[in-house]
Amino acid sequence: MIYLNGDFMPIEEARIPVLDRGFIFGDGVYEVIPVYSRRPFRLAEHLRRLQHSLDGIRIKNPHSDAEWSGLLEQLIAANEGDDQYLYLHITRGVAKRDHAFPKGVAPTVFIMSNPLLTPPKELLATGVAAITASDNRWLRCDIKAISLLPNILLRQMAVDVGAVETVLLRDGFMTEGAASNIFVVKDGALLAPPKNHLMLPGITYDVVLELAAAHDIPYEVREISEYEVRTAQELLLTSSTKEIMPITRLDGKPVGDGIPGEMFTQLYQLYQNYKITVMRGNTPAP
Ligand code: PDD
């Protein structure tokens, strides 16, 4: 079951006019929210980021947080599986093709749910391969825009060589992955790039830093050079659907010892424990 502009229906019945500005221009924003045991994870934070994205492209939020929450609750209940991921998609609506904003047009609101398939244990035991590429995206990567052409092309470069992610470098510094945030481990400390217009402020990124702070794991939020990426002890990838994964090969070379490291093991365990706390319904600080 999906939600489209006020109605719940099977996905096969959902129809979007071809003049929707999402289809014509990629003029919209989205969110991906993991659901564990039928509870949306970090909902308030995801809705805050959605508001930031909508503000960034000047679409008025079609719903209050309470309305979003109600819609998501209904959609979770209408779909199978305790662990799901919600995809929210808002476009500027349907209008005659013209770059300038149409007047008096209601946004298109689409929400779907899919099973949440977190990375299998076998993959976490070996880690995954990544490549690097130059970050050729626009300068508002903090907006979760549906126009993802650069991200798609960058991710496919990795897939073409049997890797899972592309680590992006801009002006000698690391920004993030094609569809994830990236952390570096150096001298036993966790390094995270600062949130700014060059990367998506990841919700999982925030959880990882909160966990590090709460468990006395040394960490630093600062610009990370390409050299530090290439000489990292460990590289970690985070996203709502992949949670935390170790990158053990970069551009065909081993990262550190070439196996998942201590930082990954510790953060992965803390993340799983934190998830369980959330699922039990109490969400204290990590
Ligand atoms: N992508 N950076 C980019 C460019 C992303 O697309 C994503 C997530 C992240 C991680 O953010 P979060 O931890 O909030 O999921 C960082 C989602 C999962 C997607 O597009 O499917």
Side-chain angles (χ1 to χ4, degrees):
M1 295 294 283
I2 63 101
Y3 171 88
L4 180 62
N5 296 331
D7 296 311
F8 289 89
M9 64 190 83
I11 193 160
E12 296 76 22
E13 288 172 21
R15 297 285 178 271
I16 295 283
V18 290
L19 284 180
D20 192 284
R21 288 176 65 98
F23 183 60
I24 296 287
F25 291 121
D27 182 4
V29 296
Y30 75 107
E31 262 304 319
V32 172
I33 309 177
V35 173
Y36 297 113
S37 299
R38 297 194 175 271
R39 284 170 191 273
F41 185 68
R42 294 241 154 174
L43 180 58
E45 289 83 350
H46 279 281
L47 292 178
R48 200 175 310 135
R49 186 172 66 184
L50 177 64
Q51 184 66 56
H52 174 80
S53 297
L54 287 166
D55 290 345
I57 71 163
R58 298 163 61 188
I59 290 181
K60 188 175 174 299
N61 196 334
H63 296 299
S64 66
D65 281 5
E67 287 167 355
W68 279 117
S69 179
L71 291 173
L72 299 179
E73 205 174 295
Q74 289 181 72
L75 200 67
I76 293 167
N79 282 283
E80 278 175 21
D82 289 346
D83 293 354
Q84 307 178 12
Y85 81 85
L86 299 165
Y87 175 85
L88 288 63
H89 177 117
I90 299 112
T91 80
R92 207 178 304 276
V94 181
K96 186 169 165 293
R97 186 179 183 279
D98 179 356
H99 286 61
F101 297 171
K103 288 203 174 71
V105 171
T108 299
V109 179
F110 168 59
I111 319 171
M112 66 176 165
S113 178
N114 283 292
L116 178 65
L117 302 170
T118 51
K121 284 258 163 7
E122 308 80 68
L123 205 57
L124 297 174
T126 57
V128 296
I131 61 166
T132 57
S134 170
D135 192 344
N136 56 7
R137 300 172 302 162
W138 68 334
L139 298 175
R140 287 306 307 275
C141 296
D142 55 312
I143 296 174
K144 206 161 167 60
I146 61 168
S147 25
L148 284 171
L149 207 40
N151 304 65
I152 289 167
L153 293 170
L154 289 162
R155 168 61 71 83
Q156 189 60 36
M157 283 168 60
V159 172
D160 285 346
V161 296
V164 310
E165 183 57 304
T166 303
V167 175
L168 305 177
L169 302 164
R170 198 193 285 262
D171 300 329
F173 294 95
M174 184 194 72
T175 52
E176 59 178 338
S180 60
N181 290 114
I182 306 288
F183 293 80
V184 166
V185 179
K186 183 185 176 180
D187 301 330
L190 186 67
L191 305 184
K195 286 197 233 173
N196 57 27
H197 60 291
L198 300 179
M199 68 171 244
L200 187 81
I203 305 298
T204 324
Y205 164 106
D206 281 343
V207 176
V208 164
L209 288 182
E210 286 173 33
L211 288 170
H215 295 273
D216 295 325
I217 296 171
Y219 73 94
E220 241 184 291
V221 177
R222 61 156 172 87
E223 290 202 315
I224 300 168
S225 71
E226 174 172 352
Y227 177 76
E228 289 175 310
V229 174
R230 297 203 181 280
T231 55
Q233 282 173 336
E234 294 181 44
L235 287 178
L236 309 179
L237 167 169
T238 66
S239 88
S240 291
T241 46
K242 297 220 160 74
E243 300 181 336
I244 308 178
M245 286 181 86
I247 296 174
T248 45
R249 294 190 78 76
L250 188 70
D251 291 334
K253 299 191 187 78
V255 176
D257 299 333
I259 53 168
E262 275 172 37
M263 184 68 81
F264 163 73
T265 309
Q266 189 180 2
L267 284 171
Y268 179 80
Q269 204 48 58
L270 289 170
Y271 193 86
Q272 299 307 314
N273 293 345
Y274 177 62
K275 248 168 59 178
I276 293 164
T277 320
V278 172
M279 288 189 287
R280 291 204 186 111
N282 39 15
T283 51

